[in-house]
Amino acid sequence: PSRYTLAAVLRTTRAARGLSQEHLATTVDARHLHRVEHAKSNISLEMLEDISLFLYTSDAADDSLRV
């Protein structure tokens, strides 16, 4: 299902940018993010947008990884 695909994309993207789940704690609860990244919990579109913006604009993000 798409939930597993999204979980893998979030986990891979976050790791590729060298960010821990705790780095995203300003955006989303780290425990909830863990559950989302392991396809154990659903995510709202608003939360997905917040995480996406954080990953895209993070100072730790490598410019070569930006889309």
Short mmCIF file of all heavy atoms in Angstrom, two decimals:
data_model
loop_
_atom_site.label_atom_id
_atom_site.label_comp_id
_atom_site.label_asym_id
_atom_site.label_seq_id
_atom_site.Cartn_x
_atom_site.Cartn_y
_atom_site.Cartn_z
N PRO A 1 0.81 -1.20 0.00
CA PRO A 1 0.00 0.00 0.00
C PRO A 1 0.85 1.27 0.00
O PRO A 1 2.03 1.25 0.35
CB PRO A 1 -0.83 -0.11 1.28
CG PRO A 1 -0.81 -1.56 1.63
CD PRO A 1 0.44 -2.11 1.06
N SER A 2 0.24 2.35 -0.35
CA SER A 2 0.96 3.62 -0.45
C SER A 2 1.52 4.08 0.89
O SER A 2 2.49 4.83 0.94
CB SER A 2 0.05 4.69 -1.05
OG SER A 2 -1.10 4.86 -0.24
N ARG A 3 0.91 3.66 2.00
CA ARG A 3 1.41 4.03 3.32
C ARG A 3 2.85 3.55 3.51
O ARG A 3 3.68 4.26 4.06
CB ARG A 3 0.51 3.44 4.39
CG ARG A 3 0.97 3.73 5.80
CD ARG A 3 -0.01 3.26 6.82
NE ARG A 3 -0.21 1.82 6.73
CZ ARG A 3 -1.02 1.13 7.51
NH1 ARG A 3 -1.72 1.76 8.41
NH2 ARG A 3 -1.15 -0.16 7.38
N TYR A 4 3.18 2.37 3.00
CA TYR A 4 4.53 1.83 3.12
C TYR A 4 5.50 2.58 2.22
O TYR A 4 6.64 2.82 2.59
CB TYR A 4 4.54 0.33 2.80
CG TYR A 4 3.72 -0.46 3.80
CD1 TYR A 4 2.44 -0.89 3.50
CD2 TYR A 4 4.23 -0.73 5.07
CE1 TYR A 4 1.69 -1.59 4.43
CE2 TYR A 4 3.50 -1.44 6.00
CZ TYR A 4 2.22 -1.86 5.67
OH TYR A 4 1.48 -2.54 6.61
N THR A 5 5.04 2.97 1.05
CA THR A 5 5.87 3.75 0.13
C THR A 5 6.18 5.11 0.73
O THR A 5 7.33 5.55 0.74
CB THR A 5 5.16 3.92 -1.22
OG1 THR A 5 4.87 2.63 -1.76
CG2 THR A 5 6.02 4.70 -2.19
N LEU A 6 5.18 5.78 1.26
CA LEU A 6 5.37 7.08 1.89
C LEU A 6 6.32 6.95 3.07
O LEU A 6 7.22 7.78 3.26
CB LEU A 6 4.04 7.68 2.34
CG LEU A 6 4.14 8.99 3.11
CD1 LEU A 6 4.78 10.07 2.23
CD2 LEU A 6 2.77 9.43 3.59
N ALA A 7 6.15 5.93 3.89
CA ALA A 7 7.03 5.71 5.04
C ALA A 7 8.48 5.59 4.59
O ALA A 7 9.37 6.21 5.17
CB ALA A 7 6.59 4.46 5.80
N ALA A 8 8.72 4.82 3.56
CA ALA A 8 10.08 4.62 3.05
C ALA A 8 10.67 5.92 2.49
O ALA A 8 11.84 6.23 2.72
CB ALA A 8 10.10 3.53 1.98
N VAL A 9 9.85 6.68 1.78
CA VAL A 9 10.33 7.94 1.20
C VAL A 9 10.68 8.94 2.31
O VAL A 9 11.73 9.58 2.27
CB VAL A 9 9.28 8.54 0.24
CG1 VAL A 9 9.62 9.97 -0.13
CG2 VAL A 9 9.16 7.68 -1.01
N LEU A 10 9.83 9.07 3.31
CA LEU A 10 10.11 9.98 4.42
C LEU A 10 11.38 9.58 5.15
O LEU A 10 12.25 10.41 5.42
CB LEU A 10 8.94 10.02 5.40
CG LEU A 10 7.71 10.78 4.97
CD1 LEU A 10 6.60 10.62 6.01
CD2 LEU A 10 8.02 12.25 4.77
N ARG A 11 11.50 8.31 5.47
CA ARG A 11 12.66 7.80 6.20
C ARG A 11 13.94 8.01 5.40
O ARG A 11 14.94 8.50 5.91
CB ARG A 11 12.43 6.32 6.51
CG ARG A 11 13.29 5.74 7.57
CD ARG A 11 12.88 4.32 7.98
NE ARG A 11 12.63 3.43 6.87
CZ ARG A 11 11.43 2.96 6.52
NH1 ARG A 11 10.36 3.31 7.18
NH2 ARG A 11 11.31 2.15 5.49
N THR A 12 13.90 7.68 4.13
CA THR A 12 15.08 7.80 3.27
C THR A 12 15.48 9.25 3.06
O THR A 12 16.66 9.60 3.13
CB THR A 12 14.80 7.13 1.90
OG1 THR A 12 14.45 5.76 2.13
CG2 THR A 12 15.99 7.20 1.00
N THR A 13 14.50 10.10 2.83
CA THR A 13 14.79 11.52 2.59
C THR A 13 15.37 12.17 3.85
O THR A 13 16.36 12.90 3.78
CB THR A 13 13.51 12.27 2.16
OG1 THR A 13 12.98 11.64 0.99
CG2 THR A 13 13.80 13.73 1.86
N ARG A 14 14.77 11.89 4.98
CA ARG A 14 15.28 12.45 6.24
C ARG A 14 16.71 11.99 6.50
O ARG A 14 17.60 12.78 6.80
CB ARG A 14 14.38 12.03 7.41
CG ARG A 14 14.84 12.60 8.73
CD ARG A 14 14.01 12.08 9.88
NE ARG A 14 13.85 10.65 9.94
CZ ARG A 14 14.81 9.79 10.30
NH1 ARG A 14 16.00 10.21 10.62
NH2 ARG A 14 14.56 8.49 10.33
N ALA A 15 16.96 10.71 6.32
CA ALA A 15 18.30 10.16 6.55
C ALA A 15 19.31 10.72 5.55
O ALA A 15 20.46 11.02 5.92
CB ALA A 15 18.26 8.64 6.47
N ALA A 16 18.90 10.88 4.30
CA ALA A 16 19.81 11.41 3.27
C ALA A 16 20.24 12.83 3.58
O ALA A 16 21.33 13.27 3.19
CB ALA A 16 19.13 11.36 1.90
N ARG A 17 19.42 13.54 4.30
CA ARG A 17 19.74 14.92 4.68
C ARG A 17 20.44 15.00 6.04
O ARG A 17 20.73 16.06 6.55
CB ARG A 17 18.47 15.77 4.69
CG ARG A 17 18.04 16.10 3.26
CD ARG A 17 16.62 16.63 3.23
NE ARG A 17 16.25 17.19 1.94
CZ ARG A 17 16.10 16.52 0.81
NH1 ARG A 17 16.37 15.24 0.77
NH2 ARG A 17 15.72 17.11 -0.29
N GLY A 18 20.73 13.83 6.60
CA GLY A 18 21.45 13.78 7.86
C GLY A 18 20.67 14.26 9.06
O GLY A 18 21.24 14.73 10.03
N LEU A 19 19.35 14.12 8.99
CA LEU A 19 18.48 14.61 10.07
C LEU A 19 17.93 13.44 10.88
O LEU A 19 17.57 12.40 10.32
CB LEU A 19 17.32 15.40 9.49
CG LEU A 19 17.70 16.65 8.69
CD1 LEU A 19 16.48 17.20 7.97
CD2 LEU A 19 18.31 17.69 9.59
N SER A 20 17.87 13.62 12.18
CA SER A 20 17.25 12.62 13.04
C SER A 20 15.76 12.96 13.19
O SER A 20 15.32 14.05 12.82
CB SER A 20 17.91 12.62 14.41
OG SER A 20 17.61 13.82 15.10
N GLN A 21 15.02 12.04 13.74
CA GLN A 21 13.61 12.31 14.01
C GLN A 21 13.49 13.45 15.01
O GLN A 21 12.55 14.24 14.94
CB GLN A 21 12.92 11.06 14.53
CG GLN A 21 12.80 9.98 13.48
CD GLN A 21 12.24 8.68 14.01
OE1 GLN A 21 12.21 8.45 15.21
NE2 GLN A 21 11.82 7.83 13.10
N GLU A 22 14.45 13.57 15.89
CA GLU A 22 14.43 14.65 16.87
C GLU A 22 14.60 16.02 16.20
O GLU A 22 14.10 17.02 16.69
CB GLU A 22 15.51 14.44 17.93
CG GLU A 22 15.20 13.31 18.90
CD GLU A 22 15.40 11.92 18.30
OE1 GLU A 22 16.24 11.76 17.37
OE2 GLU A 22 14.72 10.99 18.73
N HIS A 23 15.34 16.06 15.07
CA HIS A 23 15.49 17.32 14.33
C HIS A 23 14.13 17.85 13.89
O HIS A 23 13.92 19.05 13.82
CB HIS A 23 16.37 17.14 13.09
CG HIS A 23 17.83 17.16 13.37
ND1 HIS A 23 18.59 16.02 13.32
CD2 HIS A 23 18.66 18.17 13.70
CE1 HIS A 23 19.84 16.34 13.61
NE2 HIS A 23 19.91 17.64 13.85
N LEU A 24 13.24 16.94 13.57
CA LEU A 24 11.93 17.34 13.10
C LEU A 24 10.95 17.60 14.24
O LEU A 24 9.79 17.93 14.01
CB LEU A 24 11.34 16.28 12.16
CG LEU A 24 11.90 16.36 10.75
CD1 LEU A 24 12.86 15.23 10.52
CD2 LEU A 24 10.80 16.35 9.75
N ALA A 25 11.41 17.49 15.48
CA ALA A 25 10.53 17.64 16.63
C ALA A 25 9.88 19.02 16.70
O ALA A 25 8.84 19.19 17.32
CB ALA A 25 11.29 17.36 17.92
N THR A 26 10.48 20.01 16.05
CA THR A 26 9.85 21.33 16.02
C THR A 26 8.65 21.33 15.09
O THR A 26 7.79 22.20 15.18
CB THR A 26 10.85 22.41 15.54
OG1 THR A 26 11.33 22.05 14.25
CG2 THR A 26 12.01 22.54 16.49
N THR A 27 8.59 20.36 14.20
CA THR A 27 7.52 20.27 13.23
C THR A 27 6.47 19.24 13.62
O THR A 27 5.28 19.46 13.46
CB THR A 27 8.10 19.89 11.84
OG1 THR A 27 9.09 20.85 11.50
CG2 THR A 27 7.05 19.85 10.78
N VAL A 28 6.93 18.10 14.12
CA VAL A 28 6.03 16.99 14.44
C VAL A 28 6.63 16.21 15.62
O VAL A 28 7.84 16.19 15.80
CB VAL A 28 5.84 16.08 13.20
CG1 VAL A 28 7.13 15.48 12.75
CG2 VAL A 28 4.81 15.01 13.45
N ASP A 29 5.78 15.61 16.41
CA ASP A 29 6.22 14.80 17.54
C ASP A 29 7.08 13.64 17.03
O ASP A 29 6.69 12.92 16.11
CB ASP A 29 5.00 14.27 18.29
CG ASP A 29 5.38 13.40 19.45
OD1 ASP A 29 5.95 13.94 20.43
OD2 ASP A 29 5.12 12.18 19.38
N ALA A 30 8.25 13.47 17.63
CA ALA A 30 9.20 12.44 17.17
C ALA A 30 8.59 11.04 17.25
O ALA A 30 8.83 10.21 16.37
CB ALA A 30 10.49 12.51 17.99
N ARG A 31 7.79 10.77 18.27
CA ARG A 31 7.17 9.44 18.39
C ARG A 31 6.17 9.20 17.26
O ARG A 31 6.11 8.09 16.71
CB ARG A 31 6.48 9.29 19.74
CG ARG A 31 7.47 9.22 20.90
CD ARG A 31 6.75 9.25 22.20
NE ARG A 31 6.07 10.56 22.27
CZ ARG A 31 5.40 11.00 23.27
NH1 ARG A 31 5.26 10.27 24.34
NH2 ARG A 31 4.82 12.19 23.25
N HIS A 32 5.42 10.25 16.92
CA HIS A 32 4.46 10.10 15.83
C HIS A 32 5.20 9.91 14.50
O HIS A 32 4.81 9.07 13.69
CB HIS A 32 3.52 11.30 15.75
CG HIS A 32 2.45 11.14 14.72
ND1 HIS A 32 1.47 10.18 14.81
CD2 HIS A 32 2.22 11.80 13.57
CE1 HIS A 32 0.69 10.25 13.75
NE2 HIS A 32 1.12 11.23 12.98
N LEU A 33 6.26 10.67 14.30
CA LEU A 33 7.06 10.53 13.08
C LEU A 33 7.60 9.11 12.97
O LEU A 33 7.60 8.52 11.89
CB LEU A 33 8.19 11.55 13.05
CG LEU A 33 9.09 11.49 11.83
CD1 LEU A 33 8.30 11.75 10.54
CD2 LEU A 33 10.23 12.48 11.95
N HIS A 34 8.08 8.57 14.07
CA HIS A 34 8.58 7.18 14.07
C HIS A 34 7.49 6.22 13.59
O HIS A 34 7.74 5.35 12.76
CB HIS A 34 9.06 6.79 15.48
CG HIS A 34 9.44 5.36 15.59
ND1 HIS A 34 10.68 4.89 15.20
CD2 HIS A 34 8.76 4.28 16.03
CE1 HIS A 34 10.73 3.59 15.40
NE2 HIS A 34 9.58 3.20 15.91
N ARG A 35 6.28 6.39 14.12
CA ARG A 35 5.17 5.52 13.72
C ARG A 35 4.83 5.70 12.25
O ARG A 35 4.54 4.73 11.55
CB ARG A 35 3.96 5.77 14.61
CG ARG A 35 4.17 5.28 16.05
CD ARG A 35 2.89 5.28 16.87
NE ARG A 35 2.27 6.60 16.97
CZ ARG A 35 2.51 7.48 17.93
NH1 ARG A 35 3.37 7.22 18.87
NH2 ARG A 35 1.88 8.64 17.94
N VAL A 36 4.88 6.94 11.76
CA VAL A 36 4.58 7.20 10.34
C VAL A 36 5.67 6.57 9.47
O VAL A 36 5.39 5.92 8.47
CB VAL A 36 4.48 8.72 10.07
CG1 VAL A 36 4.46 9.01 8.58
CG2 VAL A 36 3.23 9.30 10.74
N GLU A 37 6.94 6.75 9.87
CA GLU A 37 8.06 6.21 9.09
C GLU A 37 8.10 4.68 9.09
O GLU A 37 8.78 4.09 8.27
CB GLU A 37 9.39 6.74 9.61
CG GLU A 37 9.63 8.19 9.24
CD GLU A 37 11.03 8.64 9.59
OE1 GLU A 37 11.79 7.88 10.23
OE2 GLU A 37 11.38 9.77 9.22
N HIS A 38 7.38 4.06 9.99
CA HIS A 38 7.31 2.60 10.03
C HIS A 38 5.92 2.10 9.65
O HIS A 38 5.58 0.94 9.92
CB HIS A 38 7.73 2.09 11.42
CG HIS A 38 9.19 2.27 11.66
ND1 HIS A 38 9.73 3.44 12.15
CD2 HIS A 38 10.23 1.46 11.40
CE1 HIS A 38 11.03 3.32 12.22
NE2 HIS A 38 11.37 2.13 11.77
N ALA A 39 5.15 2.98 9.00
CA ALA A 39 3.82 2.65 8.45
C ALA A 39 2.88 2.11 9.53
O ALA A 39 2.02 1.29 9.25
CB ALA A 39 3.95 1.68 7.29
N LYS A 40 3.03 2.61 10.75
CA LYS A 40 2.17 2.18 11.84
C LYS A 40 1.10 3.22 12.18
O LYS A 40 0.24 2.97 13.00
CB LYS A 40 3.01 1.92 13.10
CG LYS A 40 4.14 0.96 12.89
CD LYS A 40 3.81 -0.35 13.50
CE LYS A 40 5.04 -1.25 13.39
NZ LYS A 40 4.72 -2.54 12.90
N SER A 41 1.19 4.39 11.55
CA SER A 41 0.25 5.46 11.82
C SER A 41 0.00 6.26 10.55
O SER A 41 0.87 6.33 9.67
CB SER A 41 0.84 6.38 12.91
OG SER A 41 -0.07 7.38 13.24
N ASN A 42 -1.16 6.84 10.47
CA ASN A 42 -1.49 7.70 9.33
C ASN A 42 -0.93 9.10 9.54
O ASN A 42 -0.57 9.47 10.65
CB ASN A 42 -3.01 7.77 9.15
CG ASN A 42 -3.59 6.46 8.71
OD1 ASN A 42 -2.99 5.73 7.94
ND2 ASN A 42 -4.75 6.14 9.24
N ILE A 43 -0.89 9.86 8.47
CA ILE A 43 -0.39 11.22 8.53
C ILE A 43 -1.38 12.13 7.82
O ILE A 43 -1.94 11.76 6.78
CB ILE A 43 1.02 11.32 7.91
CG1 ILE A 43 1.63 12.71 8.12
CG2 ILE A 43 1.00 10.94 6.45
CD1 ILE A 43 3.10 12.78 7.75
N SER A 44 -1.60 13.30 8.38
CA SER A 44 -2.50 14.25 7.73
C SER A 44 -1.74 14.96 6.60
O SER A 44 -0.50 15.02 6.60
CB SER A 44 -3.01 15.28 8.73
OG SER A 44 -1.96 16.14 9.14
N LEU A 45 -2.49 15.51 5.67
CA LEU A 45 -1.85 16.26 4.59
C LEU A 45 -1.12 17.48 5.14
O LEU A 45 -0.04 17.84 4.66
CB LEU A 45 -2.89 16.69 3.55
CG LEU A 45 -3.42 15.56 2.68
CD1 LEU A 45 -4.50 16.10 1.74
CD2 LEU A 45 -2.32 14.90 1.89
N GLU A 46 -1.69 18.10 6.15
CA GLU A 46 -1.05 19.27 6.77
C GLU A 46 0.30 18.89 7.39
O GLU A 46 1.29 19.59 7.20
CB GLU A 46 -1.97 19.86 7.83
CG GLU A 46 -1.39 21.10 8.49
CD GLU A 46 -2.33 21.70 9.54
OE1 GLU A 46 -3.47 21.24 9.66
OE2 GLU A 46 -1.88 22.62 10.21
N MET A 47 0.33 17.77 8.09
CA MET A 47 1.58 17.32 8.70
C MET A 47 2.60 16.94 7.63
O MET A 47 3.79 17.25 7.75
CB MET A 47 1.35 16.15 9.63
CG MET A 47 2.60 15.73 10.39
SD MET A 47 2.32 14.33 11.49
CE MET A 47 1.20 15.05 12.65
N LEU A 48 2.14 16.29 6.58
CA LEU A 48 3.03 15.92 5.48
C LEU A 48 3.63 17.17 4.84
O LEU A 48 4.82 17.22 4.53
CB LEU A 48 2.28 15.08 4.44
CG LEU A 48 3.10 14.62 3.24
CD1 LEU A 48 4.31 13.80 3.69
CD2 LEU A 48 2.22 13.81 2.31
N GLU A 49 2.81 18.20 4.67
CA GLU A 49 3.30 19.45 4.11
C GLU A 49 4.33 20.09 5.04
O GLU A 49 5.37 20.57 4.58
CB GLU A 49 2.14 20.42 3.87
CG GLU A 49 2.60 21.72 3.24
CD GLU A 49 1.43 22.65 2.99
OE1 GLU A 49 0.70 22.99 3.95
OE2 GLU A 49 1.24 23.04 1.83
N ASP A 50 4.07 20.09 6.33
CA ASP A 50 5.01 20.66 7.30
C ASP A 50 6.36 19.93 7.26
O ASP A 50 7.42 20.56 7.25
CB ASP A 50 4.44 20.59 8.72
CG ASP A 50 3.28 21.54 8.95
OD1 ASP A 50 3.08 22.46 8.12
OD2 ASP A 50 2.56 21.35 9.95
N ILE A 51 6.31 18.61 7.22
CA ILE A 51 7.55 17.82 7.17
C ILE A 51 8.28 18.09 5.86
O ILE A 51 9.50 18.27 5.84
CB ILE A 51 7.24 16.32 7.32
CG1 ILE A 51 6.76 16.03 8.74
CG2 ILE A 51 8.47 15.47 6.99
CD1 ILE A 51 6.22 14.64 8.93
N SER A 52 7.55 18.13 4.77
CA SER A 52 8.15 18.38 3.46
C SER A 52 8.85 19.73 3.42
O SER A 52 9.98 19.84 2.92
CB SER A 52 7.10 18.33 2.36
OG SER A 52 6.52 17.06 2.30
N LEU A 53 8.19 20.75 3.94
CA LEU A 53 8.80 22.08 3.97
C LEU A 53 10.05 22.09 4.84
O LEU A 53 11.06 22.69 4.48
CB LEU A 53 7.80 23.12 4.47
CG LEU A 53 6.69 23.47 3.49
CD1 LEU A 53 5.64 24.35 4.17
CD2 LEU A 53 7.24 24.15 2.26
N PHE A 54 10.00 21.42 5.97
CA PHE A 54 11.16 21.35 6.85
C PHE A 54 12.32 20.64 6.14
O PHE A 54 13.45 21.12 6.16
CB PHE A 54 10.82 20.61 8.15
CG PHE A 54 11.97 20.58 9.11
CD1 PHE A 54 12.12 21.60 10.04
CD2 PHE A 54 12.89 19.56 9.09
CE1 PHE A 54 13.18 21.59 10.93
CE2 PHE A 54 13.95 19.54 9.98
CZ PHE A 54 14.10 20.55 10.90
N LEU A 55 12.04 19.52 5.50
CA LEU A 55 13.10 18.78 4.81
C LEU A 55 13.68 19.58 3.66
O LEU A 55 14.88 19.54 3.40
CB LEU A 55 12.57 17.43 4.30
CG LEU A 55 12.25 16.40 5.37
CD1 LEU A 55 11.58 15.19 4.74
CD2 LEU A 55 13.49 16.00 6.13
N TYR A 56 12.84 20.33 2.98
CA TYR A 56 13.30 21.10 1.83
C TYR A 56 14.11 22.31 2.25
O TYR A 56 15.07 22.68 1.58
CB TYR A 56 12.10 21.54 0.98
CG TYR A 56 12.52 22.28 -0.27
CD1 TYR A 56 13.03 21.59 -1.37
CD2 TYR A 56 12.41 23.66 -0.35
CE1 TYR A 56 13.42 22.26 -2.51
CE2 TYR A 56 12.81 24.34 -1.48
CZ TYR A 56 13.31 23.64 -2.57
OH TYR A 56 13.71 24.31 -3.68
N THR A 57 13.75 22.94 3.36
CA THR A 57 14.39 24.19 3.74
C THR A 57 15.43 24.02 4.84
O THR A 57 16.08 24.99 5.23
CB THR A 57 13.35 25.23 4.24
OG1 THR A 57 12.67 24.69 5.36
CG2 THR A 57 12.38 25.57 3.14
N SER A 58 15.61 22.81 5.35
CA SER A 58 16.55 22.58 6.44
C SER A 58 17.96 23.00 6.06
O SER A 58 18.44 22.71 4.98
CB SER A 58 16.55 21.10 6.83
OG SER A 58 17.56 20.85 7.77
N ASP A 59 18.64 23.67 7.00
CA ASP A 59 20.03 24.07 6.79
C ASP A 59 20.93 22.86 6.61
O ASP A 59 21.97 22.94 5.98
CB ASP A 59 20.55 24.90 7.96
CG ASP A 59 19.90 26.27 8.02
OD1 ASP A 59 19.42 26.75 6.97
OD2 ASP A 59 19.89 26.86 9.11
N ALA A 60 20.52 21.74 7.18
CA ALA A 60 21.32 20.52 7.07
C ALA A 60 21.17 19.85 5.72
O ALA A 60 21.93 18.97 5.36
CB ALA A 60 20.92 19.54 8.16
N ALA A 61 20.16 20.27 4.97
CA ALA A 61 19.90 19.65 3.66
C ALA A 61 20.98 20.05 2.66
O ALA A 61 21.39 21.18 2.56
CB ALA A 61 18.53 20.06 3.15
N ASP A 62 21.43 19.07 1.93
CA ASP A 62 22.41 19.29 0.88
C ASP A 62 21.69 19.83 -0.35
O ASP A 62 20.72 19.27 -0.81
CB ASP A 62 23.09 17.96 0.54
CG ASP A 62 24.10 18.06 -0.58
OD1 ASP A 62 24.45 19.19 -0.99
OD2 ASP A 62 24.54 17.01 -1.05
N ASP A 63 22.16 20.94 -0.90
CA ASP A 63 21.50 21.56 -2.06
C ASP A 63 21.36 20.59 -3.22
O ASP A 63 20.43 20.69 -4.00
CB ASP A 63 22.26 22.81 -2.50
CG ASP A 63 22.07 23.97 -1.56
OD1 ASP A 63 21.04 23.99 -0.85
OD2 ASP A 63 22.94 24.85 -1.50
N SER A 64 22.27 19.66 -3.35
CA SER A 64 22.20 18.72 -4.47
C SER A 64 21.03 17.76 -4.31
O SER A 64 20.62 17.13 -5.29
CB SER A 64 23.50 17.93 -4.59
OG SER A 64 23.68 17.09 -3.47
N LEU A 65 20.46 17.63 -3.10
CA LEU A 65 19.35 16.73 -2.88
C LEU A 65 18.00 17.40 -3.08
O LEU A 65 16.97 16.76 -3.10
CB LEU A 65 19.41 16.14 -1.47
CG LEU A 65 20.61 15.25 -1.18
CD1 LEU A 65 20.60 14.85 0.28
CD2 LEU A 65 20.63 14.04 -2.07
N ARG A 66 18.01 18.72 -3.20
CA ARG A 66 16.74 19.45 -3.34
C ARG A 66 16.14 19.21 -4.72
O ARG A 66 16.83 19.14 -5.71
CB ARG A 66 16.94 20.93 -3.11
CG ARG A 66 17.33 21.20 -1.68
CD ARG A 66 17.43 22.65 -1.42
NE ARG A 66 17.98 22.80 -0.07
CZ ARG A 66 17.79 23.84 0.69
NH1 ARG A 66 17.07 24.84 0.26
NH2 ARG A 66 18.31 23.91 1.88
N VAL A 67 14.84 19.13 -4.74
CA VAL A 67 14.12 18.87 -5.99
C VAL A 67 13.71 20.19 -6.61
O VAL A 67 13.36 21.11 -5.99
CB VAL A 67 12.87 18.00 -5.71
CG1 VAL A 67 12.11 17.74 -6.99
CG2 VAL A 67 13.28 16.72 -5.05
#
